[in-house]
Amino acid sequence: MERQVRGIPASPGIVVGPVHLLRWEVPDVPHRIVADADVPEELARLRNAIERAKERLRQVRDRVEASAGAEEAAIFDVQLSILEDVVLIAEVEQLIHQNLAAEKAFDIVMLERRQAFARHHAPMIRERVGDLTDVHIRLLGILLGLPDHDPVDVRKGAGAVLVTHDLTPSLTVQLDREAIAAIATDAGTRTSHVAILARSLGLPAVVGLRHATAELTGQERVILDGSTGLLAINPTDEEVERYRARARREAETEAELHRLAGLEPVTADGVRIIIRANVDLPEEAEHAATSGAEGVGLMRTEFLVIGRASMPDEDEQYRAYRRVLEAFGDSPVVIRTYDIGGDKLPIGGYPTEANPFLGWRAIRMCLDEPEVFSTQLRALLRAAVHGDVRILLPLIVTVDEVRGARAMIDGAAADLRARGVPHRANVPLGAMVETPAAAVAADTLAEDVSFFSIGTNDLVQYTLAVDRGNANLAARFTPLHPAVLRLIRRVVDVGEERGVEVAVCGEMASQPLMAYALLGLGVRQLSVGPRAVSHIKRIVRGMSLAQAHDAAERALRVATASEAEAILLESLRRALHDAPYLLEGLTESV
Ligand code: PEP
Ligand code: MG
């Protein structure tokens, strides 16, 4: 083997395949002056490049339309229209007439245009920055003769490993699953949305590799191991065979776990736990329903929006929610309203902010954009006719937000009533507890909600001030920090006192050791990725809640996350003593 690079395991599975290196960044453009006599040639070069870029965009649009549908493909029409903007092109031509080379002239005009759009007061204009950037990259690539790194243009059946600096959710949803078999990124952590989305798409992924794009040329063959976070570059045939054998063993374990799906999650000392599934895309619903989950504990709806040029309308959303409800029969399905913002942005960046995680996201955006929010609420109330829908509000920090949302739900019900559309108005409403504010002041929310769902990905990020997507900080993202454990305990206590159900739907719940800690802290409902349902069931059935409680009590009193981990690990190991196979991967993600 030439060499190995290690990153963060983000989505399990082993893939051996060719690298598809995606450098989708604005390249450096040298300052080049042309002689007067060469100006006509530069103008022709610009026009040619524009024609080639348009041709390419049409191809890509058709391809995305065939694989993902017309709505996803519409962004490429927006990009085509940028290349047909006569004012923009006239500005570039003017700079060429002033003796600038075509690429420099185009670069200057696009930079100015992007800055102006990013600062614009209208969100609709700001949304277009991402399209401008894509066009900027594409045309410069042609003018500078760079390799064509089109993100969505990989041959079907290639089984390629996509290696890129960072993958936005919008690119991820455009990926052709028949061409890309795995993802590797320089940036990201286990809880960044790329990782979450990769897991829900079942695409093996390693993130946080830091320098993979710099180290690779795109000509290599690699082994990507999403369970251990390894990328092996140009492996020997024996190494490939070794990994293939491991992949077969993993598949056998999966099959064995699948047999567990139908068993009840009851602890060895007889306490019944509820395990639900997280569903990120409606297409996942049927598969998730076979995982053994008792309903959906978190359906993220923002992935209906991300990667699209326009918001889905009421009917489209209604169909998506109904699909999930029908897959789960009478079981509860908790659907979270849009959590757009942070690192989950629709096409165009919407809007550009200095601190997106502290910015205009989730419930804040929904309350400020009543049209967007009401459309979603109407679709949810209509879908509620088909099953046990529960509405969950993200990023709550104050009860005012819950009350604002409640008023909008009432308004949505009134609209539907006036239109004579079948719906159900009395849908339970819950709050995500994913800020220290919501956890500490959970009592101030309790009156107004039917349930709490603790989002540990954000709760850890905001409590420890550690960006969940920053690979350089991954070791500092420690969910077992005493501050986090105490906040979770606080929510459980308030839930018990006030009769409000408490679930955990962040990634902590999907990791065996952390799930053990959560159950020890008093949580009785976990919502985990569909693949993790049987894994966590197996842990639940092997453990004693009394011991978990004792370990969690001790973990709450120590000073550091590593001490807490040691206590919990020792306790869980002891609990599982008669089933050594359970001991594998206790601290790994499932
Ligand atoms: C969380 O923050 O833990 C959560 C479940 O929400 P998301 O990961 O979508 O931010
Ligand atoms: Mg969150």
Side-chain angles (χ1 to χ4, degrees):
M1 181 180 331
E2 244 174 49
R3 59 192 188 281
Q4 293 187 346
V5 263
R6 273 199 183 273
I8 300 167
S11 177
I14 293 171
V15 168
V16 182
V19 166
H20 178 76
L21 188 63
L22 167 62
R23 291 221 174 93
W24 200 245
E25 290 145 30
V26 178
D28 286 335
V29 181
H31 194 77
R32 194 163 65 84
I33 302 288
V34 294
D36 286 349
D38 294 332
V39 164
E41 197 187 314
E42 282 306 293
L43 290 170
R45 226 161 59 76
L46 175 73
R47 276 191 295 273
N48 269 334
I50 290 175
E51 281 319 307
R52 277 181 53 200
K54 281 163 62 176
E55 181 55 39
R56 199 77 179 83
L57 275 171
R58 283 188 210 104
Q59 282 170 5
V60 176
R61 179 194 57 198
D62 293 348
R63 182 170 299 205
V64 172
E65 187 167 340
S67 64
E71 280 130 358
E72 269 77 4
I75 54 160
F76 299 105
D77 286 322
V78 175
Q79 297 186 11
L80 275 163
S81 71
I82 295 171
L83 288 171
E84 279 159 3
D85 178 340
V86 284
V87 178
L88 185 141
I89 293 172
E91 282 174 32
V92 181
E93 287 179 342
Q94 203 184 354
L95 288 179
I96 297 176
H97 279 294
Q98 292 167 13
N99 301 85
L100 276 184
E103 60 274 9
K104 194 68 200 172
F106 184 73
D107 191 36
I108 289 172
V109 171
M110 288 304 275
L111 279 174
E112 280 172 1
R113 192 62 64 114
R114 280 168 54 198
Q115 271 172 11
F117 274 41
R119 283 197 298 260
H120 204 280
H121 64 272
M124 288 298 286
I125 302 285
R126 289 196 304 258
E127 271 179 55
R128 296 275 77 94
V129 174
D131 294 316
L132 283 171
T133 309
D134 275 0
V135 170
H136 194 172
I137 296 171
R138 188 180 295 280
L139 201 80
L140 282 183
I142 295 172
L143 283 167
L144 293 167
L146 301 175
D148 185 350
H149 283 305
D150 207 295
V152 288
D153 192 23
V154 185
R155 184 180 52 78
K156 282 199 191 307
V161 175
L162 179 75
V163 182
T164 185
H165 178 67
D166 195 5
L167 197 56
T168 58
S170 58
L171 282 177
T172 315
V173 291
Q174 287 172 43
L175 292 179
D176 185 349
R177 296 286 314 283
E178 290 172 40
I180 300 292
I183 300 174
T185 60
D186 291 341
T189 65
R190 231 181 69 74
T191 49
S192 57
H193 284 97
V194 172
I196 292 171
L197 199 56
R199 282 196 288 280
S200 52
L201 290 169
L203 269 179
V206 176
V207 299
L209 284 157
R210 291 160 191 250
H211 308 297
T213 51
E215 288 190 21
L216 294 167
T217 63
Q219 304 306 314
E220 299 85 350
R221 187 165 83 129
V222 290
I223 302 172
L224 178 142
D225 183 351
S227 311
T228 60
L230 183 91
L231 195 69
I233 303 166
N234 289 333
T236 61
D237 289 345
E238 292 86 73
E239 280 157 345
V240 168
E241 193 32 57
R242 234 187 16 247
Y243 271 87
R244 292 222 161 106
R246 240 196 75 195
R248 283 193 291 275
R249 279 201 305 279
E250 279 190 8
E252 281 162 20
T253 312
E254 282 300 311
E256 187 205 318
L257 280 170
H258 203 73
R259 286 192 286 278
L260 273 179
L263 298 179
E264 277 213 329
V266 181
T267 63
D269 47 355
V271 181
R272 178 73 161 81
I273 305 299
I274 292 179
I275 304 180
R276 299 206 169 108
N278 290 352
V279 169
D280 298 329
L281 299 165
E283 299 81 63
E284 268 185 273
E286 292 79 13
H287 168 70
T290 64
S291 66
E294 292 176 74
V296 175
L298 170 66
M299 178 185 175
R300 293 182 168 93
T301 57
E302 48 281 2
F303 293 112
L304 298 173
V305 175
I306 289 163
R308 309 207 354 183
S310 61
M311 299 298 261
D313 65 17
E314 184 183 314
D315 281 337
E316 189 188 339
Q317 289 187 61
Y318 161 71
R319 285 194 300 275
Y321 306 146
R322 183 175 171 177
R323 176 170 178 177
V324 181
L325 281 161
E326 287 180 342
F328 281 88
D330 296 333
S331 303
V333 173
V334 176
I335 303 184
R336 184 174 72 185
T337 55
Y338 289 140
D339 187 6
I340 294 169
D343 63 350
K344 290 179 287 194
L345 298 167
I347 290 292
Y350 192 104
T352 314
E353 293 184 308
N355 289 306
F357 277 119
L358 302 182
W360 192 60
R361 62 173 285 208
I363 190 69
R364 304 169 185 184
M365 182 279 244
C366 284
L367 291 172
D368 290 353
E369 296 270 323
E371 275 221 5
V372 170
F373 198 24
S374 300
T375 306
Q376 180 171 43
L377 293 171
R378 286 195 304 272
L380 285 168
L381 299 185
R382 283 173 59 189
V385 172
H386 304 284
D388 183 357
V389 169
R390 304 178 184 184
I391 296 180
L392 178 60
L393 306 171
L395 205 76
I396 292 297
V397 296
T398 158
V399 72
D400 294 338
E401 291 155 343
V402 178
R403 291 181 184 150
R406 170 85 65 192
M408 296 205 44
I409 293 173
D410 293 344
D415 279 355
L416 292 169
R417 213 174 308 122
R419 271 166 48 196
V421 179
H423 66 284
R424 187 157 64 81
N426 62 337
V427 173
L429 185 62
M432 289 284 289
V433 178
E434 45 187 352
T435 59
V440 172
D443 55 313
T444 63
L445 303 170
E447 236 5 65
D448 289 69
V449 297
S450 322
F451 62 100
F452 288 130
S453 188
I454 306 179
T456 50
N457 307 335
D458 278 316
L459 186 62
V460 174
Q461 148 165 283
Y462 292 125
T463 304
L464 305 182
V466 172
D467 178 347
R468 62 193 269 183
N470 186 336
N472 293 327
L473 299 177
R476 291 185 162 87
F477 191 91
T478 48
L480 297 176
H481 187 290
V484 178
L485 298 183
R486 289 175 200 182
L487 288 176
I488 294 170
R489 166 51 73 79
R490 160 99 190 125
V491 181
V492 169
D493 288 346
V494 170
E496 268 171 21
E497 273 163 30
R498 309 291 286 267
V500 179
E501 283 181 23
V502 176
V504 173
C505 63
E507 293 300 313
M508 254 182 111
S510 297
Q511 207 200 56
L513 187 69
M514 307 259 182
Y516 186 65
L518 293 169
L519 296 170
L521 289 169
V523 174
R524 295 289 173 268
Q525 297 186 21
L526 302 173
S527 188
V528 305
R531 284 175 57 102
V533 171
S534 319
H535 281 268
I536 299 300
K537 238 180 218 189
R538 200 155 70 154
I539 297 294
V540 166
R541 291 173 62 86
M543 67 180 258
S544 124
L545 201 63
Q547 282 171 11
H549 176 74
D550 171 67
E553 282 300 322
R554 284 185 288 132
L556 275 168
R557 286 195 297 269
V558 295
T560 65
S562 48
E563 286 169 81
E565 179 172 326
I567 291 170
L568 290 157
L569 197 54
E570 195 262 335
S571 168
L572 181 54
R573 284 214 167 108
R574 220 162 356 100
L576 303 180
H577 62 90
D578 56 342
Y581 63 91
L582 289 180
L583 297 178
E584 278 172 35
L586 286 184
T587 58
E588 283 173 19
S589 35
V590 176

